[in-house]
Amino acid sequence: MLRSTLCGLLLGLPACQLLNTEDTENVPGRGSTAFDPYAASASGAIKLSLQMFNGCAILSNGQPVAKGNSPVPDYPAQCDDPMAADPTHSPKITPQQRFQVMTDTKYFLNQITLTDTVANVHTDASNLAAVSRWIRKESRFKDLDWSDMSQEGVRWYETLTEGTWSRELRFRNARWMLSQDDTFTLEVLDSDGSVRQTATYSRKDFAGESPVAGHTNVSYVIENLLPPRSPSDGELRPVPSPLPGLGGIQYRTMVRVDLVGSTNPFKDFRVLGVSGDGAIRLTWSLMPNSPFTIPVTFVRPSDVPPTCFKDDDSPTPCAFGLDPRVNLSRPKNGQFYVPGERFDVIMDVRDGEGNRLHRKELMPSFADFYGGNTNGLIYGFEGHLITQGERDTTTSYQVVGPLQDLKTWSSVAGPTPYFSAGGSASATYVAMVPEIASLPIIPGLPTATWPTRSTLTLPPDAKPGTYVILTRAVRQFMGEHVSKGNASFFQVGQAERTSYPNRVGNCQTCHRGVVSLDNLRHGFSVDHVESCKACHMSTADLLGRVQDDMHRLHMNSNKYPQNKADCRMCHLTRESAVRPSLTVCKSCHPTVHGDEYFSMAFTNSGAPSRFSNCAQSCHVEKTPSGHILPD
């Protein structure tokens, strides 16, 4: 009975052995407490990520993969440009880079991302029949069972530029979307096309596929819009652009199958006895006659070039894994920083064996990044975010504190009630618009290197306590795609430590073992869940606001096994649970007030706004009766 109860808590999967983390094979790094997918060779097996865009394999730097001499007879010689805002009508490019996988290495399949998209083809927003026809009859996923497909409804979200909105229509309930018994068969092919290794994965072997988290998504999006003026306003108004030729409405139709986060890293395979060009073929049981084949260059461990760096900046071969660190300059008094003090933050990003991915003083340029010369380190760029729907990019840090003052904060007007400041080892480069690179305001940006050292100044009224630096990096190396975060602490105004307020938590109730927060997404543990808002406070819904995304993700997930009206599952205090906003409440109650507060949905600041406190505004006397709140 206890075993089945625990199994129900673990993502609600029916077979407990899928989440078994016992070290039954006596392999280092494979136990229930030791499993660490970021620990290079010590992790026991390496996370393999397979990505394709419009028929071509792609790398995490947005570049298509070249065929070389791989045994993929129908692989295209030219590919749609994944970095282009309109890949459908942009010139095709000839792939130059290779997808490398290391031989004599044990892998497990952790990510499958298969995307087919067209831009500015369905430009009549009233003709949804054409959109549906392309999805069901013309896309690369036309062989799937699209029976019972329905519209989820229109969702508006703010993009990276404040005041610029996208209108998204999602499709759901197609029979293939509801399937749980389908499988993916992975085959390793040598240069002759012979199958050398095989592994079969179930749909249930992956934790994440929700569109809320940026995974599997079938959608029709109209971009670069002003918000509607009323519920009946059907006019699509473009946002005026100050730069000639860079404005205008964009139309994007996408089918994206994205399964991420292995629930069974012990279902692995070893790449043995192959070298040079080969391939990895992935056959989906729902599309048995249309396999996805990725050209691969198999590299022996002894042939890995010395492109990483030791502490003295001497070259050394890179290893798997990711460990982003920061170093701080010493406080003037030797114990803690004082309000108003300046200090240096030095980025130090390493692989799992402790090798630095960059030189001690400089980060690689964007030209190095696009050319695949950053030892796998990934920078943020809009092409991956908007065109491909991939959110997991960029290398940066965020400082926030003091910990005891962290609280829910939604308004984008005015300062936060606590100190928060970000930094990046590299400036964000808007790669989607080629004209940007030649603008005089940013000359030489693509080839500029960026210092690892930056300077922060504490405010003169900084409150005493413990502050945290959240460091995050993303890397793709030899087939391994990882996003890893680390937390480092420092003192301000006093030597005594303070702690998080402990208003929310309990994530470990479901997220434990191989699907713990340590092993998913950014790699931050549940201990730091209250600091997630430090980064996820962007005005752009496209990037995700933690309060909104967490509610929408769990309230709409069939893998969340708990009572969705029981706020106590995540909220540890009553105060934290009775500050809902319009955006949070809509995750469960999209039409509870009809159109009464329509204009609030597009208002960022002031009162009322879409981030306003519904509880104190109207629901002071009586909270919603269907909710179970903490005492």
Side-chain angles (χ1 to χ4, degrees):
M1 181 65 179
L2 177 61
R3 179 181 173 89
S4 62
T5 301
L6 289 176
C7 186
L9 291 175
L10 293 171
L11 286 179
L13 297 178
C16 269
Q17 64 269 24
L18 294 179
L19 300 176
N20 183 7
T21 58
E22 295 175 355
D23 192 357
T24 56
E25 297 176 314
N26 196 29
V27 179
R30 306 286 299 281
S32 57
T33 59
F35 178 78
D36 184 352
Y38 308 99
S41 58
S43 63
I46 303 300
K47 302 167 70 169
L48 178 67
S49 173
L50 303 178
Q51 299 173 286
M52 297 193 75
F53 178 82
N54 286 11
C56 288
I58 58 171
L59 301 172
S60 294
N61 64 353
Q63 298 299 310
V65 174
K67 174 185 176 181
N69 294 317
S70 298
V72 191
D74 55 349
Y75 193 80
Q78 290 190 310
C79 299
D80 289 344
D81 187 356
M83 306 275 284
D86 184 350
T88 307
H89 300 98
S90 297
K92 291 183 179 293
I93 58 177
T94 301
Q96 302 293 329
Q97 298 182 33
R98 300 295 181 91
F99 180 61
Q100 295 183 322
V101 172
M102 193 177 294
T103 62
D104 303 319
T105 302
K106 192 173 288 186
Y107 286 89
F108 65 91
L109 186 58
N110 187 70
Q111 177 180 3
I112 303 170
T113 301
L114 310 169
T115 303
D116 196 18
T117 186
V118 292
N120 298 320
V121 171
H122 307 116
T123 56
D124 182 358
S126 65
N127 187 7
L128 293 180
V131 174
S132 175
R133 182 170 55 252
W134 180 85
I135 291 171
R136 295 181 297 107
K137 303 293 185 181
E138 301 172 27
S139 74
R140 286 177 173 82
F141 298 95
K142 58 181 179 293
D143 292 340
L144 291 174
D145 187 349
W146 291 95
S147 303
D148 302 329
M149 183 178 77
S150 61
Q151 300 175 18
E152 186 178 37
V154 171
R155 170 179 172 255
W156 288 81
Y157 58 84
E158 194 171 24
T159 63
L160 294 173
T161 304
E162 186 174 356
T164 301
W165 295 77
S166 290
R167 179 185 185 273
E168 180 183 41
L169 175 65
R170 284 181 179 166
F171 298 89
R172 62 178 182 177
N173 291 331
R175 291 187 181 179
W176 73 265
M177 296 179 181
L178 305 178
S179 171
Q180 289 296 309
D181 298 325
D182 47 302
T183 60
F184 296 86
T185 299
L186 182 148
E187 298 170 297
V188 178
L189 309 182
D190 61 18
S191 58
D192 296 327
S194 300
V195 177
R196 305 298 292 268
Q197 296 288 326
T198 301
T200 300
Y201 296 85
S202 165
R203 181 88 158 261
K204 299 173 185 178
D205 286 336
F206 301 94
E209 58 176 305
S210 168
V212 175
H215 301 310
T216 296
N217 188 16
V218 181
S219 61
Y220 173 55
V221 181
I222 307 175
E223 304 163 357
N224 201 31
L225 296 173
L226 295 172
R229 291 160 291 195
S230 70
S232 60
D233 184 7
E235 181 183 358
L236 301 177
R237 299 178 297 147
V239 175
S241 173
L243 299 176
L246 298 185
I249 297 176
Q250 299 284 322
Y251 302 83
R252 197 177 309 278
T253 309
M254 174 184 291
V255 180
R256 186 171 192 259
V257 177
D258 186 64
L259 308 176
V260 178
S262 173
T263 64
N264 190 2
F266 317 110
K267 186 181 289 186
D268 50 37
F269 61 96
R270 186 181 293 276
V271 179
L272 294 172
V274 293
S275 62
D277 290 346
I280 291 179
R281 183 166 61 206
L282 192 68
T283 304
W284 192 2
S285 62
L286 299 183
M287 298 176 60
N289 299 319
S290 304
F292 301 89
T293 308
I294 295 177
V296 172
T297 299
F298 295 104
V299 180
R300 296 185 180 93
S302 59
D303 293 335
V304 177
T307 55
C308 278
F309 302 93
K310 298 180 181 179
D311 284 335
D312 61 0
D313 260 2
S314 61
T316 188
C318 294
F320 291 103
L322 182 61
D323 183 18
R325 311 173 184 177
V326 290
N327 298 308
L328 305 183
S329 57
R330 186 175 177 81
K332 292 180 181 179
N333 64 20
Q335 289 186 293
F336 53 82
Y337 301 105
V338 299
E341 186 170 348
R342 291 167 59 91
F343 62 95
D344 290 340
V345 180
I346 303 100
M347 292 286 291
D348 184 15
V349 187
R350 306 195 177 214
D351 63 23
E353 302 291 348
N355 305 308
R356 190 181 290 113
L357 302 182
H358 52 86
R359 294 191 179 277
K360 186 175 183 179
E361 300 294 337
L362 292 174
M363 301 292 290
S365 69
F366 273 94
D368 292 327
F369 165 62
Y370 296 137
N373 299 315
T374 60
N375 294 318
L377 197 62
I378 297 173
Y379 292 166
F381 59 102
E382 287 193 47
H384 219 166
L385 177 64
I386 297 176
T387 304
Q388 301 168 46
E390 177 61 60
R391 299 183 187 182
D392 228 357
T393 59
T394 206
T395 299
S396 60
Y397 67 84
Q398 189 80 14
V399 181
V400 64
L403 299 188
Q404 73 274 12
D405 281 356
L406 295 186
K407 62 181 66 175
T408 301
W409 178 252
S410 293
S411 175
V412 297
T416 59
Y418 44 78
F419 175 70
S420 182
S424 176
S426 58
T428 299
Y429 176 51
V430 182
M432 291 187 62
V433 187
E435 295 89 345
I436 288 288
S438 61
L439 292 177
I441 56 174
I442 44 175
L445 176 59
T447 57
T449 54
W450 306 95
T452 56
R453 181 184 300 264
S454 57
T455 301
L456 287 179
T457 303
L458 291 170
D461 59 348
K463 295 182 179 180
T466 301
Y467 288 59
V468 63
I469 297 185
L470 305 167
T471 316
R472 177 172 171 261
V474 188
R475 185 189 187 209
Q476 184 183 59
F477 175 74
M478 295 287 176
E480 178 191 49
H481 182 201
V482 292
S483 173
K484 181 70 174 75
N486 282 326
S488 303
F489 300 92
F490 64 93
Q491 296 299 121
V492 173
Q494 64 184 43
E496 294 78 20
R497 297 287 300 269
T498 58
S499 60
Y500 290 114
N502 293 323
R503 296 189 182 101
V504 295
N506 284 348
C507 306
Q508 72 281 1
T509 302
C510 299
H511 289 284
R512 61 179 74 178
V514 295
V515 292
S516 67
L517 294 189
D518 306 68
N519 293 336
L520 295 177
R521 208 63 180 182
H522 309 327
F524 286 111
S525 75
V526 66
D527 298 334
H528 307 296
V529 67
E530 289 183 281
S531 60
C532 292
K533 66 175 74 70
C535 296
H536 288 273
M537 280 300 298
S538 168
T539 59
D541 299 324
L542 182 62
L543 294 176
R545 298 173 59 86
V546 66
Q547 300 98 315
D548 309 336
D549 271 10
M550 288 303 98
H551 284 85
R552 288 197 301 123
L553 175 62
H554 291 86
M555 294 305 100
N556 294 284
S557 173
N558 58 10
K559 295 183 177 180
Y560 180 68
Q562 309 301 330
N563 178 0
K564 296 180 181 180
D566 190 349
C567 304
R568 298 173 301 177
M569 287 306 305
C570 300
H571 292 272
L572 308 180
T573 66
R574 187 179 183 88
E575 175 270 341
S576 70
V578 293
R579 198 204 174 282
S581 69
L582 181 66
T583 52
V584 169
C585 293
K586 286 175 65 177
S587 63
C588 279
H589 311 288
T591 59
V592 65
H593 288 295
D595 297 328
E596 184 177 358
Y597 299 103
F598 176 81
S599 60
M600 283 178 57
F602 303 95
T603 306
N604 286 334
S605 58
S609 75
R610 61 190 171 125
F611 306 125
S612 293
N613 187 341
C614 300
Q616 271 62 57
S617 298
C618 300
H619 297 281
V620 177
E621 300 296 330
K622 184 179 180 181
T623 57
S625 59
H627 293 194
I628 305 173
L629 301 175
D631 294 333

